[in-house]
Amino acid sequence: DLDNYIKENNQLLNRLVKAQDSFENRKKTIEDILLLHQEIANTADTRQRKKLYAKAESMAKSALATEQATLGKNHPQVADTLQLLSALALEQQNEKPENRAEALQYLLRALELHTIGLGPKHPRTGQDLLRLARLYQQTPVLGVAPDVSANRNDEDRAIEYFEQAIEVFRAVKGGHKVVGSIQNDLAVIQVGRRDYTKALELLNESMSSYKSQDEDSGDDVGTTFAEMCIDVVQVWRNMGECHMNLKDYAHAIECFTAALDVQREARRRHDSGSCSDSSDLESAGEEKFSFLVHLIQMISD
């Protein structure tokens, strides 16, 4: 037993030394891939973009192999690189529809690794569930004939992953706004299925989640109001659409008016300088200050 214990510890030590020795090279490779990704975003020429994507994918796969050899196949960093490969594949799916299946496999493996390494209730595991849900929620690739049955199955899978993600983020501090955003996504699926009553239930739950975030944050109303602006506007709009399709025009008008009021108030706060810190103007999703400014300057409801 003692010999085995010493042997296992020596193996672990060797892995740690390998990981430490390879750290700078691994870090440099990932940084180079991210710079290359930025170059792709700024390149209009289709042929050049293809070459850059091929180079980025080759570098990412090389980084993945190095990480698996030095860190082990189940390390969370391996999951991060799998997510990077998934993103690169998805960005090219209009030209290569088969990339969607490849991206899906990368994401499923990343979810597995984060579940093993960080636990099923960790926020990064929750983010994996969200990525999978949104991949299944995506509309068919341009130029590909829609398969109604397959699309329905994809929506069912999206719902499944969204619901799992809700359970994760309900247990995370400050996770109510993410829960609210997911509930809105679920409502959008139900709107597409013309189940407006179910969609309204989800949208009301979404609004409650945003209110819970306000209560938990302890911030003043102005700050939380600005933080939630974009998402809250979308929830009100979706509620209005549901009521409109149910021919409940009075409630539809109330919802659209509420969306308009949120935008007007956000613009008033912005113009008065009471929300001068751009960090207070971020939405619950990935939209940043510039997107919010654009929204509050375009009052259309």
Side-chain angles (χ1 to χ4, degrees):
D1 287 348
L2 183 59
D3 287 343
N4 285 334
Y5 178 75
I6 292 170
K7 183 180 177 182
E8 287 172 4
N9 273 276
N10 283 335
Q11 289 173 344
L12 178 59
L13 240 121
N14 288 334
R15 276 181 57 190
L16 287 170
V17 169
K18 269 187 180 180
Q20 189 175 32
D21 289 345
S22 67
F23 174 75
E24 290 301 331
N25 284 337
R26 288 187 287 109
K27 180 183 175 185
K28 178 73 166 54
T29 301
I30 296 298
E31 287 173 348
D32 287 345
I33 295 169
L34 294 176
L35 287 172
L36 198 56
H37 192 244
Q38 186 61 47
E39 187 179 347
I40 292 169
N42 296 327
T43 301
D45 183 80
T46 304
R47 286 187 179 181
Q48 182 63 13
R49 283 171 63 86
K50 284 182 180 179
K51 289 180 182 178
L52 292 172
Y53 269 122
K55 184 177 179 181
E57 285 179 342
S58 175
M59 290 170 67
K61 287 176 181 177
S62 176
L64 181 68
T66 302
E67 288 165 357
Q68 288 174 330
T70 57
L71 303 175
K73 292 185 177 181
N74 294 332
H75 195 280
Q77 179 59 52
V78 172
D80 292 343
T81 304
L82 287 166
Q83 288 170 356
L84 179 57
L85 279 164
S86 172
L88 291 170
L90 283 175
E91 288 170 14
Q92 302 172 78
Q93 67 173 325
N94 281 336
E95 293 79 24
K96 300 178 180 178
E98 67 276 10
N99 277 18
R100 186 174 185 271
E102 186 180 359
L104 178 61
Q105 292 307 310
Y106 286 137
L107 286 178
L108 286 169
R109 179 59 179 154
L111 172 63
E112 181 185 2
L113 295 187
H114 278 146
T115 303
I116 293 169
L118 303 175
K121 298 296 183 182
H122 194 278
R124 288 173 72 182
T125 305
Q127 289 293 342
D128 290 339
L129 291 166
L130 275 181
R131 288 186 181 96
L132 281 163
R134 286 176 178 144
L135 175 54
Y136 277 115
Q137 190 187 21
Q138 278 184 0
T139 53
V141 177
L142 293 174
V144 177
D147 182 332
V148 175
S149 176
N151 289 350
R152 181 78 181 202
N153 289 336
D154 281 356
E155 283 182 353
D156 288 339
R157 295 300 300 274
I159 290 169
E160 178 186 338
Y161 284 121
F162 274 137
E163 288 176 346
Q164 289 180 43
I166 284 176
E167 293 307 308
V168 173
F169 287 105
R170 272 188 175 143
V172 174
K173 184 179 178 181
H176 288 297
K177 61 184 179 182
V178 182
V179 171
S181 178
I182 297 170
Q183 288 162 332
N184 183 56
D185 286 329
L186 285 167
V188 169
I189 293 175
Q190 297 304 329
V191 168
R193 293 180 173 188
R194 299 185 182 181
D195 189 344
Y196 303 114
T197 302
K198 177 63 176 175
L200 279 171
E201 289 176 12
L202 288 161
L203 291 166
N204 281 309
E205 289 174 10
S206 175
M207 200 66 78
S208 296
S209 295
Y210 287 128
K211 288 176 182 176
S212 296
Q213 180 67 29
D214 283 353
E215 292 166 6
D216 287 353
S217 67
D219 293 334
D220 60 79
V221 175
T223 299
T224 56
F225 196 85
E227 282 180 349
M228 301 302 167
C229 176
I230 292 173
D231 292 313
V232 168
V233 167
Q234 194 56 58
V235 173
W236 281 122
R237 285 173 169 169
N238 290 340
M239 280 183 171
E241 182 180 346
C242 289
H243 284 301
M244 190 171 63
N245 281 288
L246 292 169
K247 301 190 186 304
D248 183 355
Y249 300 119
H251 280 110
I253 289 170
E254 287 179 12
C255 293
F256 289 132
T257 302
L260 178 58
D261 288 342
V262 172
Q263 291 173 87
R264 280 178 170 154
E265 177 63 11
R267 178 168 182 171
R268 184 191 69 77
R269 291 178 182 276
H270 176 263
D271 290 347
S272 68
S274 58
C275 292
S276 58
D277 184 353
S278 64
S279 65
D280 289 341
L281 292 169
E282 294 181 9
S283 75
E286 297 176 352
E287 298 89 351
K288 299 299 182 184
F289 175 67
S290 60
F291 183 30
L292 181 56
V293 171
H294 172 72
L295 175 73
I296 61 183
Q297 287 175 343
M298 185 183 67
I299 296 177
S300 61
D301 290 313

